[in-house]
Amino acid sequence: MQKQADKEKRNNIDFVIKAQIHAGGRGKGHFPKSGLQGGVHIAHSPREAAHLAEKMIGYNLVTKQTPKEGIPCSSVYVVERLFIRREMYLGFLLDRSSGNIIAIASSKGGMSIEDMPSDILMKKEIRLDVGMTYDVAKEITNHLEIEEDNQEICENMIIGLYDFFIKHDATMIEINPLGLTIDHKLLICDSKMKVDPSANFRQKELFENED
């Protein structure tokens, strides 16, 4: 046992373990029956990650976006912990009234969009007959306050994300947070996506893998 503990310590890697359910607000949620507070935790060893997983898998997670009884958690996602210098928000939303796409961006992320101050949110309508241009991608990148060495990467990511949105009949894609690490790398740290149910005949693979 001591040898295993020493090995884990030498690895010097922390983990983030995330409950997987179809709802947001997991970090501030709770598991009533297991008593675990929060659906996102940091673990300092594989053993601790396993212990946390045991309190998540098989239990209902209650968040502000779930029914009162919560949603069953049948799996967890485990990733290496990274140290984020800054968090941002980026999303695309279908505006059914106009039939166009709304790009939403904020230089501050990590919280629900409904909790963000309106003065830091950028909303940009993207006409379907024009699509995402480099000029608009640059405008969004500037609003995110991306540093010069990452601007081209961010612009290409925005264009690629928009193309993905259209190709897969999405109604919403949200990256929250889009992170800038302490060594100045851009990372998509968490994301979610909704697909138009009426497009299931075109998006069979997505719907087959919904869960």
Side-chain angles (χ1 to χ4, degrees), residues 13-206:
I13 295 175
D14 291 342
F15 306 90
V16 180
I17 180 166
K18 302 180 179 183
Q20 298 298 285
I21 65 169
H22 290 291
R26 291 169 298 165
K28 295 181 179 179
H30 66 285
F31 294 85
K33 290 192 175 180
S34 73
L36 185 65
Q37 295 296 315
V40 180
H41 284 267
I42 294 172
H44 302 290
S45 70
R47 185 182 303 145
E48 186 178 357
H51 176 69
L52 287 165
E54 288 174 354
K55 292 190 173 185
M56 295 181 180
I57 296 175
Y59 295 98
N60 281 21
L61 174 58
V62 178
T63 79
K64 62 183 179 180
Q65 294 186 17
T66 68
K68 288 191 299 183
E69 66 275 13
I71 296 177
C73 172
S74 59
S75 63
V76 297
Y77 188 46
V78 182
V79 295
E80 179 183 350
R81 181 189 184 188
L82 297 172
F83 292 92
I84 304 300
R85 177 182 164 203
R86 189 162 68 86
E87 295 183 341
M88 295 153 281
Y89 177 98
L90 177 64
F92 290 99
L93 185 68
L94 173 64
D95 180 4
R96 293 191 181 276
S97 62
S98 67
N100 293 323
I101 310 301
I102 306 298
I104 305 172
S106 170
S107 57
K108 292 180 172 56
M111 63 183 97
S112 300
I113 188 170
E114 58 267 21
D115 297 331
M116 292 183 185
S118 58
D119 59 335
I120 66 169
L121 278 178
M122 172 189 184
K123 294 184 178 182
K124 183 80 174 180
E125 184 174 22
I126 313 298
R127 286 173 46 188
L128 284 176
D129 59 342
V130 176
M132 176 62 68
T133 66
Y134 272 100
D135 285 343
V136 173
K138 185 180 288 294
E139 185 180 350
I140 296 171
T141 297
N142 289 337
H143 184 82
L144 293 171
E145 300 177 6
I146 300 297
E147 297 168 344
E148 185 176 354
D149 54 347
N150 276 317
Q151 285 183 350
E152 185 177 354
I153 294 171
C154 188
E155 290 161 10
N156 288 330
M157 180 194 69
I158 291 168
I159 292 170
L161 188 65
Y162 177 85
D163 290 343
F164 184 89
F165 186 102
I166 299 298
K167 180 180 178 181
H168 292 90
D169 293 288
T171 58
M172 185 274 286
I173 290 181
E174 177 182 76
I175 298 174
N176 189 27
L178 172 65
L180 181 67
T181 66
I182 56 175
D183 55 351
H184 301 279
K185 292 180 180 177
L186 274 178
L187 288 177
I188 295 174
C189 300
D190 205 353
S191 63
K192 63 181 179 181
M193 173 182 180
K194 292 182 180 179
V195 180
D196 190 340
S198 63
N200 59 1
F201 68 98
R202 278 197 301 264
Q203 305 297 337
K204 289 183 179 179
E205 185 176 354
L206 281 179

